Each structure stands twice: as structure tokens, then as C-alpha cells.
Amino acid sequence: MSRSEAEVPEVSSERGGVDGTLQALQSLMGLETEATAARLYEELSLAQRERLLREAELSPLDVRARLSEVLRWARDFAGAARLLSGCGEDARVAALYVQAGQYVDAAEAYLRVGDAERAAAAFERGGALERALEVYRGLGSSEAVAQCLVRLGRPYEAALIYRELGQPHSEVEALGCVPVGDARYVESVLRMCMLLDAGGFTRRALALLADTMRGSESVRADPALAAEKARLLRRMGMEAEAEAVIARLTAQGIVPRDDGYEYLKAIPIFGELSLEDMRDLYRVARQVLIPAGAVVLEKGTMGVGLFVLLEGTVEVFSGTEDDARRLNTLGPGAHLGEISLVQDAPVSARVKARTAVRALRITRAGFQHYLDTHESAALRIYRLFTQNLAARVRALSS
């Protein structure tokens, strides 16, 4: 039978000194019920509880275990965890620290029992992001690493991970967190535009570009952003606006009209190539001249490779008939036939030169040799091709 409340020793909140703490400890351990002992513990002052805990940590394991139950009843979960530390019950210690809201201490306890996943999550929840990042990396949890990097203010690093994972939506979101003052800001905006365009969100990419250029004078003057704006305008069929942008750049001597490297580089399936691989691909290309009225690609025939327009315009028709519907008019910076580089399939539309055209051309044979000799580039190209194809299918089905 439990002792009555009249038998519970009274502990004054003003009692101090080691003797008072020892007496309180002896009283607690002498009681028969944890609930009654917990009430007595709750009457101690903060300083007295701390002295009691320090002394109890030197007690035998069985005493510490019993007292930890008293503290748990009193809802001093952190104190209960302290008394169990070193008792070989780190799983319980971690759970108690979680109840106390001391997530970093809980994480350390989880690590001691080998539960790295819970440890990483507890570190992150407790704001110890660098420690969480370290554990997530050890686990190989790439997505969790990326999320931590964003929270640590390192979004560009996170974006690189999402790129490796093939998650364009998450990559765009991470790149959107790169601040204006970052040296990689313009590169991040260009990458976002490319991803949005490849995913069928060309209008959103143009809006992003417009907001970016409106926000900063130095950014507005960046020729790479202006060139990207011209490319996106052409994608939207706004040839006159695109030509006006290019004319302004050309007048400033910034973008030479005969350089197709930037146009080639902007094609989505080449978006992850390294500088060396990109320059090698450019060397595979050859300039060709196409007279006005000539058929560049014929619907239903097998594709012959990639064309990147440098000068002049072409018209895209739905079929080979004289009354076939005109689908689009394309100019410098536009590209045709990229699918035929990686897929043996018939051309889906007729393309005819409206004016004399100068273009870069990469034949299927030349591209296949490039893939055979650039294994890393081939993997990146096929992955992006697959992602872009999936995006087109989703766009058609929505």
C-alpha cells in the first residue's frame, strides 16, 4: 500500500545546499509510487532539481533508472533522458529527448544506436543543418541532402543534385532561390528558362526572363539573357520581337550574326554538356546554304539530322499538299530535326526555306560517332531527351 500524502516529506522551495538535495533524493527514492514522488520532485526549485540530477548521475544504474521514471512522470523528459544516458538504453533516451523538444540531443542518441535516418531528421528538426547534411550524405540520401542545402542558403549546390537526379521541377525551385548578387545568378536564370521551355512552359520562361531583366540594370545588360529572350520569342512565334532583340545586340557588337555556337548550346538536349563536350559537338557541325524554296525536311521521310538556323527563315507545314496548313515560321536560333539524332523516326512535318537560309547541320552519322566517343555526354543527352519527350507527352495528354 502506498504512503498517504500526509507522509510525503515536505520540500521547501527555499531549501538549498547539498544536504537539502540529498534529503530530497532520499525522500523520492523512498516513496512507493512514482506519481507521488513526481509531485514531490515538481515542488523543488529549478536549482534544486539541477543539483539533484547532477548527484543522481553518479548513482548506481538501477537507482538512475528508477529515478528517471519519476522524472518522466513529472514530465521532465530531458532530465529523465540525462539519467538514462550511459545505461545502454539510448533508444529510450532519444525518445525522451524528442518529447522534451531537444532534437539535437535526441539525434546524438539515435546515432549511438545506429539509427542514422532518425538522427539526420532530428538534427534537421533541431536546426543543426550542417550535422544533418553530414549524416544524409553518409546515408546517400541525395534528395534530403539537396533539401538541407537549400535551407542552408546553398541552393545552387542543391540544384546540381536535382539535375543529377533528373528532377527538373525541383531544380527550377532550387535555382529560383539563388540570390541576385550570386556570381551564378545569370547562369541559374538561363538554366531555369531552358528547363521551363523544355517542359512546355515557354511563356512562363519568358515571364521569368522579363522579371529578371527588369529587376537589375547590370542583369538587364547581360547579352546571354538577351540572346535567350530572342530564342524564347522565336519559340513563341514572335519573330519580329526576336529580330529586334538580336538587332540591338548586333548593333552593340555583342552577338555576331554568324556564330551558331550559342544557338547550338541552347538546345535543351545539350543542356548538361560540359564545356569540352560542347566544343567537340560544335566541331561536328558544318555550315550549309539552303536556297529559297528548297525543302529542308520532308514529312514522312526519315530524319537526316539536326539543323540550327543562323540566317533566313523557314516555314513549317502540316503536310506535303499544296493546301497544307502552315504551322509556324522559324528564324535564326531555331532548330529542326533534333529528334532524328537519337531516334530513327519519320519527320512529322514539312519544312521549307522561305528565304535563303544559312544553317549549322549535324548529320546522324556525325552525331553517332560523337556519341560513340563521348560516353558521358551520351548519357546526359539521352537522359535529357527522355525527360523532354516525357514532358511533351504530358503536355499533349493534358
Side-chain angles (χ1 to χ4, degrees), residues 23-269:
Q23 185 178 349
L25 175 60
Q26 292 166 356
S27 299
L28 286 168
M29 301 309 297
L31 296 174
E32 296 180 12
T33 68
E34 292 162 348
T36 306
R39 286 200 302 274
L40 182 59
Y41 176 79
E42 291 165 359
E43 292 176 4
L44 298 174
S45 68
L46 181 62
Q48 286 176 317
R49 292 200 297 270
E50 178 58 31
R51 285 196 298 271
L52 186 151
L53 283 171
R54 285 201 301 268
E55 186 134 350
E57 286 174 322
L58 303 176
S59 303
L61 294 183
D62 62 329
V63 175
R64 288 161 60 185
R66 184 176 175 189
L67 185 55
S68 73
E69 287 300 307
V70 172
L71 270 59
R72 191 178 64 80
W73 270 93
R75 299 191 181 181
D76 183 358
F77 302 117
R82 278 177 60 180
L83 292 182
L84 286 178
S85 294
C87 294
E89 297 194 49
D90 284 315
R92 287 183 62 195
V93 169
L96 287 166
Y97 274 131
V98 167
Q99 284 186 283
Q102 295 184 201
Y103 299 106
V104 174
D105 291 319
E108 298 291 358
Y110 281 131
L111 283 180
R112 289 194 292 271
V113 295
D115 194 341
E117 289 187 10
R118 285 188 176 180
F123 276 131
E124 187 174 4
R125 190 173 180 184
L129 296 177
E130 290 288 358
R131 290 284 281 128
L133 186 62
E134 176 187 343
V135 179
Y136 280 134
R137 279 180 169 151
L139 288 168
S141 302
S142 297
E143 286 192 53
V145 168
Q147 291 164 7
C148 261
L149 286 169
V150 172
R151 293 186 64 192
L152 281 165
R154 294 154 62 183
Y156 189 83
E157 294 175 58
L160 293 178
I161 293 175
Y162 286 129
R163 186 182 306 185
E164 288 294 324
L165 292 171
Q167 297 181 7
H169 170 74
S170 299
E171 184 182 349
V172 168
E173 292 300 311
L175 289 171
C177 297
V178 175
V180 176
D182 194 295
R184 297 159 298 192
Y185 177 69
V186 170
E187 180 185 347
S188 299
V189 172
L190 290 171
R191 175 69 181 171
M192 280 192 286
C193 288
M194 191 209 78
L195 290 170
L196 290 170
D197 179 39
F201 302 103
T202 306
R203 190 177 299 278
R204 184 179 162 193
L206 257 177
L208 167 67
L209 204 53
D211 287 343
T212 300
M213 298 176 77
R214 188 163 44 240
S216 167
E217 182 66 34
S218 60
V219 170
R220 190 180 305 119
D222 192 291
L225 292 178
E228 177 66 2
K229 181 178 180 181
R231 186 184 75 83
L232 292 173
L233 286 168
R234 287 197 184 93
R235 293 273 288 165
M236 296 291 294
M238 304 167 70
E239 287 294 326
E241 292 86 344
E243 282 298 320
V245 172
I246 294 296
R248 284 195 297 272
L249 292 174
T250 304
Q252 299 168 26
I254 295 174
V255 178
R257 293 297 296 261
D258 60 351
D259 184 5
Y261 178 75
E262 290 297 329
Y263 292 149
L264 186 66
K265 182 180 174 183
I267 296 175
I269 62 172

Side-chain angles (χ1 to χ4, degrees), residues 259-280:
D259 184 5
Y261 178 75
E262 290 297 329
Y263 292 149
L264 186 66
K265 182 180 174 183
I267 296 175
I269 62 172
F270 305 143
E272 292 187 0
L273 296 187
S274 67
L275 173 60
E276 293 77 12
D277 287 342
M278 193 67 233
R279 296 306 300 186
D280 286 349

Side-chain angles (χ1 to χ4, degrees), residues 361-377:
R361 182 185 180 191
I362 299 178
T363 65
R364 286 197 65 187
F367 189 71
Q368 188 58 55
H369 178 73
Y370 172 81
L371 294 180
D372 291 342
T373 55
H374 295 72
E375 183 178 357
S376 175

Side-chain angles (χ1 to χ4, degrees), residues 332-381:
H335 58 277
L336 311 161
E338 77 276 13
I339 292 178
S340 71
L341 291 177
V342 292
Q343 189 177 49
D344 193 10
V347 176
S348 59
R350 187 184 213 200
V351 180
K352 189 175 180 180
R354 180 180 180 183
T355 67
V357 169
R358 187 164 60 86
L360 285 180
R361 182 185 180 191
I362 299 178
T363 65
R364 286 197 65 187
F367 189 71
Q368 188 58 55
H369 178 73
Y370 172 81
L371 294 180
D372 291 342
T373 55
H374 295 72
E375 183 178 357
S376 175
L379 290 172
R380 294 171 185 271
I381 288 169

